Amino acid sequence: MTYRDHTVGVVIPAYNEEEFIGEVVESIPTYVDRIYPVDDCSTDDTWDEITAVAERENERRTPTVHSGEVVVPVQHDRNRGAGAATLTGYRRALDDDVDLVARMDGDGQMDPAMLSHLLDPLVDGEVSYAKGDRLAGLDYVSQMSWWRLFGNVLLTALTRVSSGYWRLRDPQNGYTAITHEALDSLSFDDLFDHYGFCNDVLIHLNADGYDVADVAHPAVYGDEESTIQYSSFIPRLSGLLFSRWRWRLRHQTNRTVGAIALGSFLGSLLAVSVGVGYLLQCVTNGTSDSLETDGGTRTRQESPGVSQSVRLLLVGCLSLIVGVLADSSADHGCVVRKGPTDADESDPSPTGAF
């Protein structure tokens, strides 16, 4: 069985998910042709669970378009990171010539019933990449802690700038689907292979000129424990996003716009830095000078440093605006699609909480 005449593969990276991975694999819809659970050298019984569920599911499921087993277990010989585990599954899917490749975590936080809503924009030819969006409204974030919500909103803002998808939300969401063509265009060796992988994929897709879609779905959290330490993850990922932002502006499809945006951003940084320097110098040395006339009277004249710093700050702000406008003008657009509970299936503009 295929999905609307397209073969589908699902990659499931897993690390220490012995309690959830079996149920996740069993819950994958029957129209999926290949399931790739990838054990990233877990220290618990995740691999045993994967091999056991693979044996059960391969007896239950019948291969359709592709020959061989439906569930293809893969194990790393060392822990290489969530991104590397995903890339391992992606490589297997490309080797199997799968049309559409989805990714979901092995912790049971992603509802397999939502998979069709990620695949539809790809099958319809609207976009080449679709991802989940848990920030579409208050109803969707109700189970998300305030600290997690803050981290997601902050990283959304940073990833918008870095990726060039200025209407994107929830870039950390690992529930994704991608076409064979877009997946094959990615340089796997250049992608970040730990947490932050999903953000990096977005940056590379924008540089190659691909459209993406947000698909609203609620945040679901159970007994699983996240291994992400946001206090260290956010600063580390912020550094990655900054370096990738510079890379994207140099390598994106529209090089002229990229050059204008990069020059404007760097110009604004220089102007603001010098302006602040002038302002600090004025504060330290005083903002006015004393002048003595021939008649012996003293007058005070404003130091040129104040006006210079104000002008430079204004130039910096204007350069920043030019950079944002130039970069956003090349935004390939994030097609925001409603979730299954909404009456209207599509909305060209972002709505909801953020």
Side-chain angles (χ1 to χ4, degrees), residues 223-268:
D223 297 331
E224 69 283 344
E225 295 183 5
S226 175
T227 58
I228 299 177
Q229 298 295 326
Y230 279 88
S231 58
S232 59
F233 170 67
I234 292 178
R236 185 171 62 250
L237 181 56
S238 298
L240 171 70
L241 292 176
F242 178 71
S243 64
R244 290 294 201 251
W245 165 74
R246 292 180 300 165
W247 175 88
R248 176 181 63 83
L249 292 180
R250 295 196 306 268
H251 293 85
Q252 69 182 31
T253 304
N254 193 330
R255 298 293 180 86
T256 302
V257 172
I260 294 173
L262 182 59
S264 299
F265 282 128
L266 295 179
S268 68

Side-chain angles (χ1 to χ4, degrees), residues 26-40:
E26 290 174 345
S27 64
I28 300 299
T30 56
Y31 58 74
V32 172
D33 301 275
R34 279 286 192 274
I35 304 172
Y36 306 96
V38 182
D39 174 31
D40 192 26

Side-chain angles (χ1 to χ4, degrees), residues 77-277:
D77 57 2
R78 60 182 177 85
N79 182 259
R80 295 163 54 190
T86 302
L87 289 174
T88 295
Y90 278 171
R91 289 187 177 94
R92 295 296 295 266
L94 287 177
D95 290 342
D96 289 338
D97 200 27
V98 177
D99 296 328
L100 309 174
V101 185
R103 178 205 181 278
M104 65 174 64
D105 291 334
D107 56 9
Q109 291 186 7
M110 299 167 182
D111 183 4
M114 284 293 303
L115 179 58
S116 61
H117 297 275
L118 290 170
L119 299 176
D120 283 337
L122 278 58
V123 175
D124 293 337
E126 296 181 79
V127 297
S128 298
Y129 185 80
K131 51 171 287 299
D133 173 19
R134 298 163 296 183
L135 303 180
L138 295 178
D139 292 340
Y140 292 93
V141 302
S142 58
Q143 293 193 41
M144 191 178 294
S145 68
W146 284 107
W147 177 239
R148 191 190 293 260
L149 177 60
F150 168 76
N152 279 341
V153 170
L154 175 61
L155 291 175
T156 291
L158 294 175
T159 305
R160 283 179 173 179
V161 177
S162 183
S163 70
Y165 291 118
W166 287 87
R167 292 181 291 167
L168 185 78
R169 284 194 299 244
D170 196 13
Q172 279 68 247
N173 198 312
Y175 203 176
T176 66
I178 188 170
T179 63
H180 183 104
E181 176 191 2
L183 183 60
D184 194 37
S185 74
L186 295 174
S187 177
F188 287 6
D189 292 337
D190 294 333
L191 291 172
F192 190 63
D193 54 9
H194 291 278
Y195 289 116
F197 168 81
C198 294
N199 309 70
D200 204 17
V201 167
L202 288 165
I203 294 167
H204 282 76
L205 287 173
N206 187 292
D208 290 337
Y210 287 105
D211 289 345
V212 304
D214 272 342
V215 179
H217 72 93
V220 179
Y221 303 103
D223 297 331
E224 69 283 344
E225 295 183 5
S226 175
T227 58
I228 299 177
Q229 298 295 326
Y230 279 88
S231 58
S232 59
F233 170 67
I234 292 178
R236 185 171 62 250
L237 181 56
S238 298
L240 171 70
L241 292 176
F242 178 71
S243 64
R244 290 294 201 251
W245 165 74
R246 292 180 300 165
W247 175 88
R248 176 181 63 83
L249 292 180
R250 295 196 306 268
H251 293 85
Q252 69 182 31
T253 304
N254 193 330
R255 298 293 180 86
T256 302
V257 172
I260 294 173
L262 182 59
S264 299
F265 282 128
L266 295 179
S268 68
L269 180 63
L270 176 62
V272 170
S273 299
V274 175
V276 170

Side-chain angles (χ1 to χ4, degrees), residues 263-305:
S264 299
F265 282 128
L266 295 179
S268 68
L269 180 63
L270 176 62
V272 170
S273 299
V274 175
V276 170
Y278 270 130
L279 195 59
L280 291 175
Q281 184 179 17
C282 292
V283 171
T284 303
N285 300 331
T287 59
S288 59
D289 299 321
S290 295
L291 297 177
E292 186 171 349
T293 64
D294 292 338
T297 60
R298 288 181 176 273
T299 61
R300 301 188 68 82
Q301 179 176 340
E302 286 295 321
S303 171

